[in-house]
Amino acid sequence: LLPLALPFAAMLQRQRVMNRPQPQVLPAELPLGLSIAGDAVVHRHPDGRVQAWSAHCTHLGCRLDRVIDGAVVCPCHGSRFDDQGRVLNGPAARPLQALRVHAEATGGWTVHPSA
Ligand code: FES
């Protein structure tokens, strides 16, 4: 059994690495409020703070691509998330995955997976 288990474990590890969210550079000119920037949902506050979450829906993983009436809306089954990544209505049951935001000296931001 061991000869089969080792390649399977290696395959799982490769898959884990490939699915790991990657750091992403955000544009320096983000609009105020909620927006989508690549694979991130971004909230830019009037005081300059920036928060970000993964743009992958916590229901079945569809990419979030629109903001309607102040909420991020999933194109697949209609889950909606507020400006803190919390579920407004399902079927998603979990909040969006928060990302760490790092301000760059050049004026932009980079977002990193939290874990
Ligand atoms: Fe987003 Fe189903 S994948 S609501």
Side-chain angles (χ1 to χ4, degrees):
L1 195 57
L2 188 60
L4 293 176
L6 289 176
F8 185 69
M11 183 187 76
L12 285 179
Q13 178 62 22
R14 262 195 317 276
Q15 195 67 32
R16 235 179 267 130
V17 169
M18 287 171 52
N19 289 341
R20 188 178 299 155
Q22 299 298 309
Q24 178 188 326
V25 176
L26 300 178
E29 295 300 323
L30 290 170
L32 281 176
L34 274 177
S35 61
I36 309 290
D39 282 336
V41 172
V42 181
H43 184 186
R44 181 172 170 225
H45 297 264
D47 64 6
R49 285 182 303 123
V50 173
Q51 294 176 284
W53 299 267
S54 167
H56 292 278
C57 181
T58 56
H59 177 226
L60 294 177
C62 286
R63 189 176 170 283
L64 304 167
D65 64 355
R66 61 197 74 178
V67 176
I68 300 173
D69 295 332
V72 179
V73 180
C74 181
C76 293
H77 311 106
S79 288
R80 295 170 62 243
F81 301 88
D82 72 6
D83 64 1
Q84 294 299 304
R86 297 175 293 221
V87 175
L88 290 170
N89 61 277
R94 292 177 290 119
L96 298 176
Q97 178 192 359
L99 303 175
R100 285 184 296 119
V101 179
H102 175 78
E104 299 293 339
T106 55
W109 293 272
T110 305
V111 291
H112 304 264
S114 290

